[in-house]
Amino acid sequence: MRTTSYRPSLFTGCDIAGLTVNEISKKNGLGAFDKVLLVKTWEWTAKSQNMQTNPDKRDDELYLRRAFDVARSSRENGDHPFGAILVDAEGAILLEQTNGFSAHCGDMTAHAERLLATRASQAYRPAFLASCTLYSSAEPCAMCAGAMYWAGIGRLVYGQSEKSLKAQTGAHDENPTLDLPCRAVFASGQRPVEVVGPLLEDEAASLQAGFWTAG
């Protein structure tokens, strides 16, 4: 079983040893929002450390639900409801990425998976990324699958399929979903990419509820 080590950069440098949440917040000057994130971090770590049975599937579901949390954060902050995370072979979360359409001034290519793959390629070499897993709230489109492939990320776990997503988004101007299975993209390449998904698809689809018809 992989050992999970969730290390959010938000709390780097915070003195947390042996303290309660309130004590940590006061000592490190954390606001109400950061305090909520700290509690969520502890809950996440506790869940990951208490997994006992069927560890591979449980690991995938746990990390995928973290990607769902990132997608919710994206939506709450005014962007499209998609999120992705990168996990190394030891179970450490290396990167988290929301969608960036609004944050990047209407960039149609600013999908969460593409942005994460770019960041990963800038930070790590393909030999290392080959042992990493990208968890995505939705199936990567052809562009994002290509970015994953070129970065060298060796494994993908996704929630909602492109076909299911297309049924929700329709021909929306900001997201004219490209229903091309990521497996078809990876199969055209020269290095293997393991794919798991769709997984927890109903939960994943609920992230999109009402978003593309709002307004």
Side-chain angles (χ1 to χ4, degrees), residues 194-211:
E194 179 185 351
V195 180
V196 177
L199 182 65
L200 305 175
E201 187 162 23
D202 289 343
E203 289 183 40
S206 71
L207 300 169
Q208 310 294 326
F211 184 85

Side-chain angles (χ1 to χ4, degrees), residues 1-5 44-60 62-63 88-92:
M1 178 177 175
R2 294 179 296 180
T3 300
T4 300
S5 175
W44 171 261
T45 302
K47 286 180 182 178
S48 67
Q49 290 175 344
N50 287 326
M51 292 186 299
Q52 299 294 330
T53 60
N54 198 10
D56 289 341
K57 183 178 179 183
R58 290 286 297 277
D59 276 358
D60 281 343
L62 184 65
Y63 288 120
D88 72 12
E90 298 302 317

Side-chain angles (χ1 to χ4, degrees), residues 11 13-17 19 23-24 27-28:
F11 303 114
C14 285
D15 182 6
I16 64 175
L19 302 178
E23 290 170 337
I24 292 169
K27 186 170 184 178
N28 294 281

Side-chain angles (χ1 to χ4, degrees), residues 100-108 110:
F101 174 79
S102 296
H104 290 241
C105 303
D107 183 355
M108 296 289 286

Side-chain angles (χ1 to χ4, degrees), residues 120-133:
S121 187
Q122 291 169 342
Y124 307 103
R125 302 312 304 151
F128 172 78
L129 291 173
S131 65
C132 294
T133 300

Side-chain angles (χ1 to χ4, degrees), residues 7 16 21 39 45 47 55 59 70 75-76 80 86 97 106 112 125 145 157 160 162 178 199 209 212:
R7 301 174 295 192
I16 64 175
V21 170
V39 171
T45 302
K47 286 180 182 178
D59 276 358
V70 175
R75 181 170 181 167
E76 290 167 0
H80 296 174
L86 184 70
Q97 182 63 58
R125 302 312 304 151
V157 178
Q160 186 179 16
E162 280 283 88
L178 182 62
L199 182 65
W212 303 104

Side-chain angles (χ1 to χ4, degrees), residues 6 17 58 87 91 98 104 122 134 138-139 167-168 171-172 174 177-178 189 193 212:
Y6 181 43
R58 290 286 297 277
V87 179
T98 60
H104 290 241
Q122 291 169 342
L134 188 152
E139 181 177 4
Q168 285 184 293
H172 197 283
E174 293 180 5
T177 301
L178 182 62
V193 179
W212 303 104

Side-chain angles (χ1 to χ4, degrees), residues 31-52:
F33 180 71
D34 289 348
K35 181 177 176 181
V36 170
L37 286 181
L38 180 59
V39 171
K40 290 292 186 182
T41 298
W42 279 4
E43 289 175 348
W44 171 261
T45 302
K47 286 180 182 178
S48 67
Q49 290 175 344
N50 287 326
M51 292 186 299
Q52 299 294 330

